[in-house]
Amino acid sequence: MSSFVKGMILQEVFFSDDTGYGVYRLEVQEASDKSISDEVTIVGHFLRPVAGETYACEGEWREHPRFGAQYVVSKINKELPKTEQAIIKYLSSGLFHGIGKKTAEKIVAGLGGDALHIIASNPSALAEIPGVSHTQANTIAESLGEHQALEEAMVLLYEYGLGAALALRVIQRFKQETVKVIKENPYLLIDEIEGIGFFKADEIAKAQGFSPHAPERYEAAILYSLQEASNEGHVYLARNELHTSSKELLTELDESIFEDALGNLLKKKKVMMEEDRVYLVTLFYAEFNMALKCKVMLHETVEKTFPAPELFQAIGELEEEFEVHYADSQREAMIKALTSPLMILTGGPGTGKTTVIRGLCHLFARLHELNLDGDGKNGELPIRLVAPTGRAAKRMTETTGIPAMTIHRLLGYRGGFFEHDADNPITGSLLVVDETSMLDIWLANQLFRAIPPTMQVVLVGDADQLPSVGPGLVLEHLLEVPQIPRVQLTDIFRQAEDSSIIQLAHAIRKGELPDDLLTPLADRRFFSCQAEQSMSVIEQTYENAIKKGYTLFDIQVLAPMYKGQVGVNRINEKIQQIINPKRVGVKEVAWGDTIFRFGDKVLQLSNHQDHPVYNGDMGLISAMDESAKQDDPVLWVQFDRQEVPYKRNQLGQLSLGYACSVHKAQGSEFPIVIFPFLPSYHRMLERNLIYTGITRSKSYLILCGEVESMRKGVKATGEARNTVLKDLILDEW
């Protein structure tokens, strides 16, 4: 329940300049709850308070597991100091550069208790104070005006229903221009501020008196419709789809204003239109340039070819060296890759894709007389192996014996920019891209534009897996271009034939479930139970696996949703309570509702800006410093061979990693996978998600929940995505 607390800031305990999150001690002057103590701890998002300032706060009490009772602020308003001593303290607090206590005392002596109001309304009054220089007068007047503008903006945003964290994000972006932006075009907030969508911006606009048919509103609806469509996997919207989507946002749509708004966005190059397809600009260029690059590659020829006898002799030598026997389809794949500028290798689990990749790399190196220990530019390998995620790249390295990396790392991703592009291409003779089904059109274009003309490319993937999180269906569309050489591996090899997990996967590909689904098998088990019992099954299974000697990285719980009683977030909390509970002497750090403890398994949620750690990487919290200062690391995470520090304001990049979504697990494999199936998941359960989830398991698969939920999911194939990559490649072939 919301309550009220008013008081004076006594001390700053913690504050993050990046996020505005802070912890402060407050001396209580007034409160809606008369029983609270004279001093409380307030936490929340602030325009950085200063000791001695008085604030009126709205919020609610929360019991922190480590620090006890805290008052979580949802709204906070600063009151200008009223007494002369308080004004002196405020002016000399450091908010006004170059103003010390003596200068502050002179100002108060000259202007009295109304000093701040006088300065705000008549800055020239400072010029009459003896000992106050012209520079100091300007500094005080400008700084006071800036701070008051920010406070005014904060109050205004509160009035429009924004919480403290979101309001602060707006102010951090627009600074003193905040009120101006809100009054002139609040729809700008949609693009600039994460967490503000069309409806929230629309509320602010209506409060400002914007007409329902304002051009800015129509343009915002169009852009928002296209952005939401891209979040659902669409590269574009057909014009009639855009019209329908915009109308749903606008409620009443004036056709002429809609046409004008779309035309204006086209003129400003915020959207692009081809035939009846309307694109966001970045996606338009991504799809068209990707198609053009593929056309160019398909019309090229490889620099060096080899006679058939030499190829077969080299393959035979590899078989002897690696003690393997390649199937005819695997030999065909390697030969096609050697003779094609662009080639696709596809197939389900157990069909030997990894065996082909390893053989191809060594065959290519042998025939081209390349050194796989590194003989390229700056010691770079002549054969580049990449995957969309860090874990997929690591698995590629382990299975081939050749170093692999993420696509972002190959392209030199730094702070939103790529070092390598068409003007600065990557180096090497052969590029092998694994898990290509995860590539969205934007990243695929970034990769392909950095490929030099002489480099041969092999795309490896399983089209039955989940499509990319981002827009497009890159692998699926490339497979529909007949001019692109490809080999589909279909034979399941002997070591895979005995795996009931692989047998289940191939049944699911066909939209079926095997008759023995509920039969306990050597590598698979389905625990049939109701939703309320499923969490207990997950907990017991996880705990038993740990007792048998499996590590945290051997076991992975997968779920299709984050929220809910058996969502990823709750599963993580429950497993943490079992595996790494609160104990005396064990360090921990709170971030929002998540408690991180020493020894926790964590998941990286986004690409790290300062270290080669990428979205989907998993690590272990190896050290903590709970009392770390603002700019110092508060915890360290061990990722494979590197230990990465995290400041408090970087903790939002991490989550507990005992459970994760199927999307986050794509490209990874685990000895044990636990996968629940519940009615509450019904909107997310689809064939390719289930197929992707169960194929993450290498040795043992635990399914639990309701068979009918799994059966319905296997039958569901999902909606088609708007993309014309295939058509663009085939156009005027």
Side-chain angles (χ1 to χ4, degrees):
M1 182 180 295
S2 183
S3 61
F4 168 80
V5 172
K6 179 181 175 182
M8 183 178 70
I9 298 292
L10 294 176
Q11 181 188 8
E12 179 183 290
V13 179
F14 168 79
F15 184 79
S16 165
D17 284 319
D18 291 335
T19 65
Y21 181 82
V23 181
Y24 290 85
R25 288 174 50 230
L26 185 82
E27 182 182 74
V28 178
Q29 297 170 348
E30 298 177 30
S32 55
D33 181 358
K34 304 300 180 184
S35 64
I36 69 171
S37 59
D38 294 336
E39 185 181 310
V40 298
T41 299
I42 63 170
V43 301
H45 293 82
F46 312 104
L47 291 169
R48 193 170 194 168
V50 174
E53 292 181 338
T54 299
Y55 284 89
C57 310
E58 290 182 31
E60 55 185 29
W61 290 99
R62 177 185 71 184
E63 189 68 23
H64 190 280
R66 179 172 177 82
F67 302 113
Q70 294 181 334
Y71 188 77
V72 182
V73 174
S74 58
K75 293 183 180 180
I76 183 167
N77 295 324
K78 181 170 74 175
E79 295 187 358
L80 287 174
K82 297 175 182 176
T83 67
E84 292 188 357
Q85 284 303 312
I87 294 171
I88 291 170
K89 191 171 183 179
Y90 176 66
L91 289 174
S92 59
S93 64
L95 284 175
F96 308 94
H97 181 69
I99 308 302
K101 187 176 180 181
K102 289 185 178 179
T103 303
E105 288 174 344
K106 292 176 183 177
I107 293 169
V108 172
L111 300 179
D114 287 331
L116 297 179
H117 294 288
I118 293 171
I119 296 169
S121 59
N122 181 23
S124 61
L126 285 168
E128 302 173 7
I129 306 299
V132 177
S133 69
H134 180 71
T135 300
Q136 288 177 317
N138 285 339
T139 296
I140 295 171
E142 289 174 7
S143 297
L144 186 62
E146 289 175 1
H147 289 299
Q148 287 187 332
L150 295 178
E151 293 293 341
E152 177 191 350
M154 201 77 168
V155 172
L156 185 64
L157 292 169
Y158 287 151
E159 290 177 359
Y160 294 142
L162 271 66
L166 204 51
L168 188 66
R169 212 176 296 159
V170 176
I171 289 172
Q172 286 176 325
R173 168 62 183 86
F174 294 108
K175 305 286 191 301
Q176 285 74 30
E177 298 293 310
T178 299
V179 173
K180 180 182 178 183
V181 168
I182 292 171
K183 291 184 179 298
E184 291 183 356
N185 187 4
Y187 295 104
L188 292 176
L189 300 178
I190 300 171
D191 287 334
E192 298 287 344
I193 310 297
E194 184 180 354
I196 295 184
F198 178 82
F199 295 106
K200 176 55 69 177
D202 206 32
E203 285 179 22
I204 297 173
K206 288 177 181 176
Q208 292 286 345
F210 273 68
S211 164
H213 297 301
E216 298 92 341
R217 185 169 186 253
Y218 276 59
E219 289 182 18
I222 291 169
L223 291 173
Y224 186 74
S225 295
L226 291 171
Q227 184 59 57
E228 287 297 287
S230 74
N231 293 339
E232 294 171 3
H234 300 296
V235 179
Y236 66 86
L237 281 179
R239 206 174 181 290
N240 64 316
E241 292 174 326
L242 178 61
H243 184 278
T244 300
S245 179
S246 299
K247 188 173 183 179
E248 289 174 358
L249 295 172
L250 298 167
T251 308
E252 296 180 8
L253 185 145
D254 184 293
E255 297 293 341
S256 63
I257 298 176
F258 176 80
E259 294 296 332
D260 289 344
L262 180 57
N264 197 31
L265 289 172
L266 287 166
K267 286 179 184 176
K268 293 189 287 188
K269 295 199 179 301
K270 290 192 172 183
V271 303
M272 302 290 280
M273 190 157 71
E274 184 73 15
E275 298 177 353
D276 74 332
R277 306 187 303 273
V278 186
Y279 296 78
L280 292 171
V281 172
T282 54
L283 295 181
F284 173 84
Y285 285 115
E287 184 159 77
F288 274 77
N289 290 340
M290 176 69 181
L292 180 60
K293 179 70 173 186
C294 287
K295 278 186 177 183
V296 170
M297 292 179 72
L298 291 173
H299 283 94
E300 291 174 346
T301 56
V302 296
E303 281 193 321
K304 188 175 182 182
T305 59
F306 305 91
E310 187 176 350
L311 288 176
F312 285 111
Q313 181 181 343
I315 292 173
E317 291 171 355
L318 277 182
E319 288 181 318
E320 288 184 17
E321 182 179 336
F322 294 153
E323 297 181 350
V324 299
H325 177 71
Y326 296 119
D328 290 343
S329 59
Q330 292 178 315
R331 287 169 176 254
E332 180 192 2
M334 287 189 277
I335 292 172
K336 245 178 199 176
L338 281 166
T339 56
S340 307
L342 174 64
M343 179 262 190
I344 301 175
L345 174 65
T346 185
T351 56
K353 294 192 298 295
T354 300
T355 301
V356 173
I357 295 173
R358 181 168 181 254
L360 169 63
C361 292
H362 286 273
L363 181 62
F364 191 95
R366 184 183 298 249
L367 292 169
H368 287 269
E369 300 179 344
L370 300 174
N371 179 6
L372 287 181
D373 293 327
D375 61 0
K377 181 181 177 182
N378 299 322
E380 293 172 347
L381 290 171
I383 297 177
R384 317 302 295 270
L385 271 56
V386 296
T389 68
R391 288 190 65 83
K394 180 187 176 186
R395 185 160 60 88
M396 207 176 181
T397 299
E398 292 170 346
T399 54
T400 64
I402 300 171
M405 64 182 69
T406 65
I407 294 171
H408 282 82
R409 186 176 178 186
L410 174 71
L411 297 179
Y413 179 79
R414 289 288 184 276
F417 296 95
F418 292 96
E419 176 187 346
H420 294 289
D421 54 21
D423 297 324
N424 181 26
I426 58 177
T427 60
S429 303
L430 174 67
L431 173 68
V432 182
V433 185
D434 200 7
E435 299 289 351
T436 309
S437 64
M438 298 176 67
L439 275 182
D440 63 40
I441 190 65
W442 185 81
L443 184 58
N445 178 53
Q446 294 294 332
L447 175 62
F448 269 62
R449 68 198 295 258
I451 295 172
T454 56
M455 178 177 268
Q456 292 175 247
V457 178
V458 177
L459 304 178
V460 184
D462 183 347
D464 291 306
Q465 285 196 31
L466 277 170
S468 58
V469 175
L473 287 170
V474 174
L475 178 60
E476 184 175 315
H477 270 229
L478 292 181
L479 283 168
E480 293 178 8
V481 177
Q483 288 83 355
I484 300 179
R486 87 282 312 279
V487 172
Q488 181 173 6
L489 303 177
T490 56
D491 296 330
I492 300 176
F493 290 89
R494 185 174 56 80
Q495 63 269 31
E497 286 179 350
D498 297 332
S499 168
S500 73
I501 299 172
I502 289 177
Q503 292 169 10
L504 174 61
H506 285 278
I508 289 171
R509 290 178 75 180
K510 301 174 185 176
E512 302 169 355
L513 287 179
D515 295 334
D516 64 354
L517 182 65
L518 294 178
T519 303
L521 300 173
D523 60 354
R524 170 166 59 82
R525 184 81 184 267
F526 196 118
F527 291 98
S528 182
C529 61
Q530 300 297 312
E532 56 271 18
Q533 300 167 312
S534 58
M535 184 65 79
S536 177
V537 171
I538 294 169
E539 293 174 22
Q540 290 177 30
T541 303
Y542 203 104
E543 191 171 17
N544 289 338
I546 292 294
K547 288 178 180 177
K548 289 179 180 178
Y550 288 98
T551 72
L552 298 179
F553 295 99
D554 292 334
I555 318 160
Q556 191 62 44
V557 184
L558 303 180
M561 299 174 66
Y562 283 91
K563 298 181 179 180
Q565 289 301 304
V566 196
V568 169
N569 296 339
R570 183 163 172 76
I571 294 171
N572 270 323
E573 291 174 8
K574 287 289 189 179
I575 294 177
Q576 185 192 45
Q577 290 171 13
I578 296 170
I579 302 302
N580 196 18
K582 181 178 178 61
R583 302 188 302 279
V584 175
V586 175
K587 295 180 179 180
E588 60 181 38
V589 172
W591 180 259
D593 295 329
T594 302
I595 304 296
F596 294 109
R597 297 193 180 103
F598 174 79
D600 269 331
K601 176 184 175 182
V602 292
L603 173 72
Q604 181 76 18
L605 299 175
S606 58
N607 295 330
H608 201 295
Q609 294 292 324
D610 304 318
H611 297 274
V613 178
Y614 304 97
N615 187 350
D617 287 355
M618 291 184 176
L620 201 71
I621 296 179
S622 54
M624 278 190 166
D625 182 1
E626 302 159 292
S627 59
K629 295 180 181 179
Q630 176 184 330
D631 294 325
D632 294 331
V634 67
L635 62 79
W636 288 256
V637 178
Q638 186 70 43
F639 293 100
D640 294 329
R641 298 176 184 175
Q642 62 174 325
E643 191 175 48
V644 177
Y646 287 79
K647 300 175 185 178
R648 195 174 296 269
N649 59 16
Q650 295 175 316
L651 295 183
Q653 297 181 32
L654 297 173
S655 73
L656 294 175
Y658 305 105
C660 70
S661 70
V662 178
H663 281 94
K664 288 291 185 186
Q666 195 171 1
S668 303
E669 284 185 344
F670 310 91
I672 299 175
V673 164
I674 305 170
F675 195 165
F677 290 87
L678 305 172
S680 59
Y681 296 160
H682 73 279
R683 291 185 179 179
M684 297 295 294
L685 285 176
E686 294 177 356
R687 183 183 302 168
N688 54 15
L689 182 138
I690 297 171
Y691 173 80
T692 302
I694 67 169
T695 53
R696 300 310 92 203
S697 174
K698 288 196 297 185
S699 305
Y700 206 88
L701 175 66
I702 301 293
L703 308 173
C704 64
E706 300 185 10
V707 174
E708 190 57 29
S709 293
M710 185 176 183
R711 192 182 309 281
K712 288 179 179 178
V714 167
K715 296 295 182 184
T717 55
E719 296 182 3
R721 293 183 171 191
N722 288 348
T723 174
V724 290
L725 178 62
K726 167 195 64 176
D727 303 302
L728 293 174
I729 297 173
L730 293 174
D731 184 40
E732 297 181 5
W733 186 264

